[in-house]
Amino acid sequence: MDKIVSLARRRGFVFPSSEIYGGLGSSYDYGHYGVLLKDNVKARWLEAMVRERDDIVALDSSIILHPKVWEASGHVSGFTDPLVDCRTCKLRFRADKLDEAHCGRKPSKHPGETPDCDLTEARHFNLMFETRIGPVEETGQSVYLRPETAQGIFVNFKNVAQLARRKPPFGIAQIGKSFRNEITPGNFIFRTLEFEQMEMEFFVPPSEVDEWFRYWVEERVGWYDRYGIRPESLRVRPHDAEELSHYSSATSDIEFLYPIGWSELEGVANRGTFDLTQHTNASGTTLEWVDAGTGERYVPAVIEPAAGVNRAMLAFLCDAYDEEVVAERERTVLRLHPRLAPVTAAVLPLITKNSAMVEKAQALRDELRRHLSVEYDDGGQIGRRYRRQDEIGTPWALTIDEQTLSDDTVTLRDRDTLAQERIPIGAALAHLLERLGAPWSPPARPR
Ligand code: GAP
């Protein structure tokens, strides 16, 4: 993890938030390449969920919802973690995760394992951030920052079902920020207080719920596979009964082998009819499906694939990170899927003082960037520029050299194989688009 954190910092993907004030522990800011990578993760998810299908529509609901939403959803009473404090080391732990925590005085031990540990009784602590609407503290209305995007979908069920003229099975997909006052945030961007979720609620006839659950677990594993996560880094882990959230009758986590061990990347839950029924009872608005033709009516059951953008980004970074020795020199390379990489192609004039080369390179950059994420780089030796692009995961580099000036061809360098080929400059865009559209899988790791 240290190597990923250091690369992310060095290349401006992610850095600690409010750093000039000493940082805020578990908050992070995303720099240029981090934003581009995160945007690509979200774009690929939306593509798979909405653009490539006829049965899912998009939504962007508010972060601050009516407080009754969170009462009805069970979050006010049930979205809690058990918490213990240690009176000796003054640290705070999740009571149900003591075996994963380290004692503040003796990090080789778990809290409670040394004679000096003095743990309090477990208390339940609500994870929702509370704030107020209105300028006057005492009279303002108390509201919450949403801890999941899902509830914004449920409370819009009627609007969307009517306006989008969809019949179950159909889904509503949403990407947006969520907030949780986590007791033990940490492990870089794995667990933070604010994060982005990509959630889709799929409404189905209750009799079909099991088959759709299996379908969505498979679909979601397939999405990570499509974008280059190695099969050996992914597994599906069904929850035990006591682990299930208050709304779920079955959940399977898609876990990734992070440097901290196997941990949740995404959850697929069978939420049954829990949420629509709760909101119907609490709001007085009936949230059900009515077939206008036959008059048939029922409350659809819900299958929910819920992924974290930041955790997905971390998984893609971890799986892509590689170090190797090439021509007796070490190189660090991010073998990101070309459709996730922040920059698709770098355009590099070989000799930066040669104005004809610079002109050609800039003209090529201008043409390519109308269609692709492209970076022009004329800073330093060509070898260093290649290394820099390797570190940010740029799959292809196009170099303009002496020969370009005489025959209008450029060198195309492949990040993974390091193969170089000459292609006509006029065919560069078509060539890149073709390669970008082709299936890609990561090179095998040496055993
Ligand atoms: N609507 C269901 C739901 O929110 P969840 O398992 O609590 O389920 C879904 O969250 C996903 O959101 C997780 O699999 C994870 O990727 C991401 N996530 C949850 N809490 C997070 C946190 N504190 N920091 C970063 N990502 C988080």
Side-chain angles (χ1 to χ4, degrees):
M1 189 69 102
D2 288 346
K3 288 185 173 179
I4 302 289
V5 175
S6 148
L7 173 71
R9 175 75 232 231
R10 192 166 70 243
R11 291 299 177 201
F13 281 83
V14 184
F15 24 81
S17 175
S18 326
E19 208 176 6
I20 59 168
Y21 290 100
L24 187 62
S26 47
S27 288
Y28 289 91
D29 294 342
Y30 291 75
H32 181 66
Y33 297 124
V35 172
L36 297 180
L37 173 57
K38 204 146 60 83
D39 279 354
N40 285 342
V41 170
K42 292 186 274 186
R44 301 293 82 82
W45 186 88
L46 262 188
E47 223 163 60
M49 284 294 181
V50 179
R51 221 169 76 188
E52 294 174 358
R53 305 180 63 106
D54 295 319
D55 55 358
I56 302 181
V57 295
L59 178 76
D60 183 8
S61 71
S62 307
I63 286 175
I64 298 175
L65 302 177
H66 195 294
K68 284 193 175 158
V69 169
W70 304 109
E71 284 169 27
S73 69
H75 283 81
V76 171
S77 57
F79 195 54
T80 56
D81 276 342
L83 149 89
V84 291
D85 289 302
C86 177
R87 296 185 188 93
T88 312
C89 69
K90 310 288 181 219
L91 289 183
R92 182 162 281 181
F93 307 100
R94 268 183 63 170
D96 55 339
K97 298 262 161 88
L98 289 180
D99 55 346
E100 292 171 21
H102 300 283
C103 163
R105 290 266 171 97
K106 279 207 173 145
S108 60
K109 301 268 183 199
H110 301 304
E113 282 184 353
T114 81
D116 291 339
C117 294
D118 183 9
L119 302 182
T120 60
E121 286 292 304
R123 285 180 291 139
H124 277 274
F125 170 76
N126 197 296
L127 272 71
M128 286 196 292
F129 278 106
E130 203 171 345
T131 185
R132 300 188 83 74
I133 297 178
V136 183
E137 177 87 10
E138 298 75 41
T139 57
Q141 186 184 18
S142 187
V143 290
Y144 301 100
L145 302 185
R146 67 180 175 200
E148 62 170 12
T149 63
Q151 296 304 323
I153 296 179
F154 297 126
V155 297
N156 274 296
F157 172 78
K158 201 171 169 187
N159 285 337
V160 177
Q162 277 172 357
L163 295 172
R165 290 178 291 116
R166 292 297 196 282
K167 174 180 188 293
F170 80 94
I172 305 177
Q174 152 152 264
I175 299 178
K177 278 221 168 171
S178 293
F179 304 81
R180 294 184 191 176
N181 201 353
E182 299 279 4
I183 296 170
T184 50
N187 291 316
F188 192 36
I189 54 173
F190 179 81
R191 182 172 288 109
T192 48
L193 307 181
E194 63 180 277
F195 51 96
E196 281 178 281
Q197 289 187 306
M198 308 183 281
E199 298 199 289
M200 196 278 292
E201 309 303 320
F202 202 69
F203 301 93
V204 305
S207 59
E208 298 174 16
V209 76
D210 292 335
E211 74 192 72
W212 282 110
F213 181 75
R214 287 193 295 275
Y215 170 87
W216 278 110
V217 172
E218 221 170 273
E219 270 302 285
R220 294 304 304 147
V221 169
W223 184 80
Y224 291 106
D225 179 57
R226 175 174 169 189
Y227 289 107
I229 298 277
R230 293 171 174 83
E232 62 271 24
S233 311
L234 271 190
R235 72 178 187 192
V236 175
R237 188 184 65 80
H239 279 205
D240 298 332
E242 60 279 9
E243 210 185 332
L244 292 173
S245 305
H246 62 276
Y247 51 72
S248 169
S249 53
T251 295
S252 280
D253 281 349
I254 300 174
E255 294 189 331
F256 177 75
L257 188 54
Y258 290 97
I260 52 172
W262 286 104
S263 304
E264 177 186 346
L265 167 59
E266 167 161 356
V268 181
N270 172 359
R271 298 182 75 126
T273 55
F274 177 84
D275 302 274
L276 292 183
T277 306
Q278 288 291 106
H279 288 303
T280 294
N281 294 340
S283 70
T285 298
T286 307
L287 300 177
E288 61 179 11
W289 161 252
V290 185
D291 189 312
T294 63
E296 183 198 6
R297 55 176 64 216
Y298 60 86
V299 181
V302 171
I303 301 300
E304 172 194 71
V309 177
N310 318 71
R311 269 190 208 179
M313 172 171 158
L314 182 59
F316 285 121
L317 283 173
C318 293
D319 218 49
Y321 186 93
D322 205 0
E323 290 171 353
E324 63 180 9
V325 178
V326 179
E328 295 176 14
R329 287 190 56 192
E330 267 189 23
R331 79 162 181 154
T332 300
V333 54
L334 281 185
R335 301 187 194 279
L336 290 167
H337 188 289
R339 299 197 66 217
L340 293 178
V343 175
T344 310
V347 180
L348 317 169
L350 182 64
I351 303 167
T352 53
K353 287 198 181 108
N354 182 319
S355 57
M357 281 187 206
V358 166
E359 232 169 77
K360 281 250 176 219
Q362 289 181 343
L364 179 60
R365 170 205 60 193
D366 291 346
E367 186 204 351
L368 296 180
R369 74 176 168 196
R370 299 210 319 267
H371 308 270
L372 301 167
S373 169
V374 173
E375 191 169 278
Y376 173 82
D377 187 357
D378 61 6
Q381 297 237 331
I382 191 74
R384 291 179 68 133
R385 282 183 271 163
Y386 283 145
R387 294 279 184 278
R388 202 178 146 268
Q389 295 298 333
D390 288 341
E391 282 208 346
I392 61 168
T394 307
W396 301 293
L398 295 157
T399 308
I400 282 72
D401 55 16
E402 215 42 75
Q403 195 181 330
T404 315
L405 305 181
S406 58
D407 68 1
D408 263 342
T409 61
V410 292
T411 304
L412 175 77
R413 173 188 183 265
D414 185 286
R415 174 198 69 196
D416 297 327
T417 61
L418 294 175
Q420 302 207 3
E421 60 180 305
R422 284 205 85 84
I423 59 167
I425 201 166
L429 175 61
H431 195 97
L432 290 176
L433 288 175
E434 194 188 321
R435 293 184 73 162
L436 201 54
W440 180 92
S441 43
R445 282 225 167 97
R447 285 180 176 269

